Amino acid sequence: MTAQAVHVLLVTHDDLLWQHWEQLDAGQWTAVRGRTLDDLKRWQHQGRRLAVLDSGLPDLPGWGDSQTWQPLLKDVRLLVASTSPSDEEGKQALSLGASGYAHAYAPAEALGRILTHVSAGDIWMGRTLVTRLLREIDSRLSHRTSTDWANGLTQREVEVAQRAAMGDSNQAIADMLGITERTVRAHLSAVFDKLGVTDRLLLALKVHGIR
């Protein structure tokens, strides 16, 4: 049985951006255009849950305006899309409850994959933002010494997990430990499976005893 297409609201005033977003796979996504935050509010009131917001929308409230954003983001899985993405904007949007932050002109296939993650309840962000957040977590919580999370892992898996939780890339970990990048990926896959996590951010939270 063919899966039913998921409705997604795409909010932008930019006709060129809308034309790009329209390239989403119609068999997987039913794209509906919005032009203002009022359209997002109506989408929310209709009980719809998935939306993409152009961060360049005119008169958009600042990301420091939590009183405006938090009600808008309640019960909505919102992907914030920027034509000029910055880690700081992404961090602010995610801290208010957005479900993802991405480049507005990501290829349609990539945007579809991102929406699949967001619609499933996952958080999506670019690699540089992930690395920044991991380093912030590590610098603030490096005093925690519990290693209960490492039970069941091999010594090498522990070493790889600790470096990944600090924000190091696979290649950096490989160079530091004297192994291949392919081996690092294999160790990380085993670590994710054993610890029940799906990405580096969740791994960092586990390593630092946050969850």
Side-chain angles (χ1 to χ4, degrees):
M1 183 176 178
T2 303
Q4 187 174 7
V6 177
H7 285 75
V8 54
L9 178 69
L10 306 167
V11 184
T12 182
H13 66 298
D14 187 329
D15 290 338
L16 289 177
L17 183 55
W18 165 246
Q19 290 171 17
H20 176 72
W21 285 350
E22 276 191 305
Q23 298 174 34
L24 281 168
D25 182 358
Q28 188 175 5
W29 310 102
T30 298
V32 178
R33 184 173 185 179
R35 296 176 182 272
T36 69
L37 281 183
D38 286 338
D39 293 322
L40 179 59
K41 292 176 184 176
R42 283 190 285 271
W43 191 253
Q44 183 185 45
H45 292 156
Q46 291 169 9
R48 302 288 187 181
R49 292 291 174 259
L50 186 62
V52 180
L53 175 68
D54 175 6
S55 69
L57 203 67
D59 301 321
L60 205 63
W63 293 110
D65 185 358
S66 60
Q67 289 187 337
T68 298
W69 282 112
Q70 287 179 351
L72 280 172
L73 295 172
K74 183 180 180 182
D75 299 325
V76 173
R77 292 170 183 165
L78 182 70
L79 173 67
V80 177
S82 173
T83 56
S84 301
S86 74
D87 288 348
E88 187 58 35
E89 182 182 57
K91 181 180 174 181
Q92 291 176 335
L94 293 168
S95 69
L96 288 172
S99 295
Y101 184 76
H103 199 297
Y105 278 100
E109 184 178 347
L111 180 58
R113 290 197 297 270
I114 294 171
L115 287 174
T116 296
H117 284 282
V118 171
S119 64
D122 296 332
I123 301 295
W124 178 272
M125 64 188 86
R127 178 173 296 178
T128 61
L129 180 53
V130 170
T131 298
R132 174 176 173 174
L133 292 177
L134 291 179
R135 294 195 186 284
E136 288 187 7
I137 290 171
D138 184 71
S139 65
R140 295 180 184 182
L141 301 174
S142 58
H143 63 281
R144 301 198 178 194
T145 58
S146 173
T147 57
D148 290 346
W149 61 270
N151 292 337
L153 301 186
T154 67
Q155 182 58 40
R156 184 62 89 187
E157 287 169 352
V158 171
E159 293 171 341
V160 169
Q162 289 174 328
R163 303 307 308 184
M166 291 169 58
D168 289 349
S169 68
N170 287 356
Q171 188 59 60
I173 297 171
D175 293 342
M176 180 166 293
L177 299 181
I179 56 180
T180 66
E181 186 178 5
R182 180 178 180 180
T183 300
V184 172
R185 290 198 301 268
H187 284 315
L188 277 176
S189 178
V191 168
F192 285 1
D193 183 58
K194 291 179 180 180
L195 297 185
V197 299
T198 55
D199 56 47
R200 288 175 183 242
L201 187 56
L202 292 177
L203 173 62
L205 298 179
K206 178 80 74 171
V207 168
H208 290 294
I210 300 174
R211 58 178 299 169

